[in-house]
Amino acid sequence: LTFFRKREWHQFTDVLEEIVTEPVALTPPFLVDLYNKCVIHNEKRLNQLRLLAFVMKQLPDVKARLEFTAATIPKVSLKDHPDANISVRALHLEGLVQSGDLAAAKPEVEQLEQDLLSRVGIDPSVYARFYAVKCLYHKTQNQLSEFYHSGFQYLAYQPLDGIPLPEQRDLAFSLAIATLVEERLFNFGELLLNPVIASLEDSCCWMVELLRVFYTGDITGYINVCEKYKDNLNSQPALVSNFQMLREKMSIMALVCYSFRQPGGSKLLPFDVIARETQLALDDVELMVMKAMSLNLIRGTIDQIDQNVTVTWVQPRHLGMDQLRAMQQQLGCWAEKVRETAALLEQETKDLTV
């Protein structure tokens, strides 16, 4: 209590954080007594953000957290203590989601994000806390695209070593499911290159293999993975109920990857070649290409008369080593064409040069 008597509040907060990690602190009502006798009368002098983390350890019950956060919000103004204000409101929002009060949670999500993004100098842990709660909100609502993007924003602010391994696995698996079954998501490379996916390597390797075949557009590999891990796939209702959509998504990824690998600028792809690469019937090719264009994965024109597609642009991708090597070859081809064009111009304009 030396720091408490000397009013050295920063050091006192450090001591409090050490105390709550001791085994004796886990025995009720130790934390409650400590808070009521030593902390509650000095809230304004202590580090509000660190104090908040300390207090929440003694409130595992959702109802108790909601009551505490509702009472605490007026004590920490957004103007004077923006970090603590946003943090306690995020915790209150988390309680609303966990209690199932999604109607009350919706305006809170929007207002919190507005307040957070309108300020500078906010501690990264505050961003992490907000995006973790936003992630939970969208997951509860089954809003997969929003959940996916919120999850990556959370990972951008939260160091991975600060997330327990079971939580890493749960988040990585949920992000994988969202990427697979959300029709508008094709960011397989972004997910595979994020360190969080390593948490699935041992416990859920089949999911990692499934993501990889989508990323490379390998339809044969997809069929093999589906056969090899049939029981694992059938244990996931989201994958079973979206089986046909997954096959269509796989065909689109095969088209995107094949287009990406082709050298040159505009890429002329005959329908029969696309059918071969995507393992679709010839009559289904045009509709699949139109869908890829509507999703802005590729751009170009479709010639129904000559039965071909001219691809002028392919959506930028997160590249692994194989894709980087393919790009290196394309750049080499482009450089050779530039040299040939320069040589031709030089040959044809000899009389114009001095």
Side-chain angles (χ1 to χ4, degrees):
L1 296 177
T2 303
F3 295 130
F4 181 79
R5 295 193 186 98
K6 291 183 177 180
R7 300 176 180 273
E8 295 176 346
W9 306 118
H10 178 78
Q11 293 85 342
F12 182 58
T13 307
D14 289 338
V15 172
L16 287 178
E17 289 186 332
E18 292 178 11
I19 289 174
V20 297
T21 63
E22 296 294 328
V24 67
L26 302 178
T27 305
F30 181 87
L31 289 177
V32 176
D33 289 343
L34 182 63
Y35 176 71
N36 288 332
K37 294 176 181 178
C38 296
V39 176
I40 197 169
H41 302 297
N42 299 282
E43 286 182 348
K44 294 183 178 180
R45 299 185 180 92
L46 300 173
N47 184 303
Q48 294 284 333
L49 188 58
R50 295 168 67 187
L51 172 63
L52 183 62
F54 161 73
V55 174
M56 296 310 291
K57 291 180 182 291
Q58 61 183 298
L59 298 170
D61 178 73
V62 174
K63 182 180 179 181
R65 286 191 174 206
L66 278 172
E67 291 174 353
F68 170 78
T69 51
T72 304
I73 290 172
K75 298 179 183 179
V76 283
S77 71
L78 183 61
K79 179 180 178 181
D80 298 329
H81 302 287
D83 288 27
N85 176 274
I86 293 172
S87 290
V88 74
R89 287 164 62 199
L91 290 167
H92 186 73
L93 172 61
E94 182 180 39
L96 292 175
V97 175
Q98 291 174 340
S99 65
D101 193 354
L102 300 179
K106 186 177 185 297
E108 288 296 320
V109 171
E110 297 169 354
Q111 187 60 53
L112 254 179
E113 186 161 30
Q114 181 179 330
D115 290 341
L116 181 62
L117 299 182
S118 65
R119 282 161 175 78
V120 296
I122 299 294
D123 191 274
S125 66
V126 178
Y127 284 95
R129 179 172 284 121
F130 168 72
Y131 285 117
V133 178
K134 189 181 179 188
C135 191
L136 175 65
Y137 170 77
H138 290 306
K139 185 177 181 180
T140 305
Q141 295 274 67
N142 199 35
Q143 298 169 337
L144 298 181
S145 181
E146 293 83 356
F147 162 74
Y148 176 89
H149 293 297
S150 296
F152 268 85
Q153 287 173 308
Y154 168 63
L155 290 170
Y157 289 104
Q158 175 62 55
L160 202 58
D161 57 9
I163 306 175
L165 185 57
E167 291 182 23
Q168 289 185 38
R169 289 172 177 163
D170 180 66
L171 178 58
F173 192 85
S174 297
L175 288 171
I177 291 291
T179 309
L180 289 166
V181 304
E182 168 54 56
E183 289 189 74
R184 297 167 293 171
L185 287 178
F186 286 81
N187 302 356
F188 298 102
E190 180 181 39
L191 180 56
L192 283 169
L193 293 174
N194 193 289
V196 75
I197 208 68
S199 64
L200 298 179
E201 291 285 359
D202 295 329
S203 62
C204 200
C205 60
W206 66 269
M207 177 59 82
V208 180
E209 287 191 39
L210 183 61
L211 291 171
R212 283 175 180 154
V213 295
F214 269 90
Y215 172 57
T216 57
D218 181 3
I219 289 190
T220 302
Y222 171 71
I223 295 171
N224 292 337
V225 167
C226 288
E227 182 61 31
K228 182 179 179 181
Y229 298 109
K230 181 167 56 177
D231 292 341
N232 299 94
L233 292 167
N234 288 335
S235 69
Q236 299 299 320
L239 299 182
V240 174
S241 61
N242 287 281
F243 178 77
Q244 184 58 38
M245 188 274 291
L246 287 171
R247 181 60 180 84
E248 295 172 359
K249 200 168 187 176
M250 184 73 246
S251 297
I252 292 175
M253 283 303 299
L255 170 64
V256 171
C257 292
Y258 180 73
S259 301
F260 181 81
R261 291 194 300 268
Q262 302 313 298
S266 296
K267 311 164 198 290
L268 185 65
L269 309 180
F271 276 18
D272 59 344
V273 173
I274 296 175
R276 183 193 69 213
E277 292 295 324
T278 60
Q279 296 188 23
L280 287 176
L282 192 61
D283 291 342
D284 296 331
V285 166
E286 185 177 356
L287 183 60
M288 185 268 294
V289 173
M290 291 173 63
K291 187 165 186 178
M293 289 181 175
S294 70
L295 291 166
N296 203 33
L297 297 173
I298 61 173
R299 296 175 190 163
T301 56
I302 300 174
D303 189 332
Q304 294 175 313
I305 304 300
D306 292 334
Q307 295 280 283
N308 59 52
V309 178
T310 301
V311 179
T312 57
W313 178 87
V314 180
Q315 185 185 68
R317 310 186 65 210
H318 289 77
L319 303 179
M321 291 307 298
D322 291 341
Q323 286 72 27
L324 287 172
R325 279 190 285 269
M327 181 170 283
Q328 182 184 31
Q329 293 177 356
Q330 291 181 27
L331 288 172
C333 293
W334 175 79
E336 182 60 31
K337 286 185 177 180
V338 170
R339 283 192 290 269
E340 291 174 359
T341 302
L344 178 63
L345 287 172
E346 184 177 350
Q347 182 67 29
E348 295 295 328
T349 58
K350 281 184 176 179
D351 297 338
L352 301 178
T353 59
V354 178

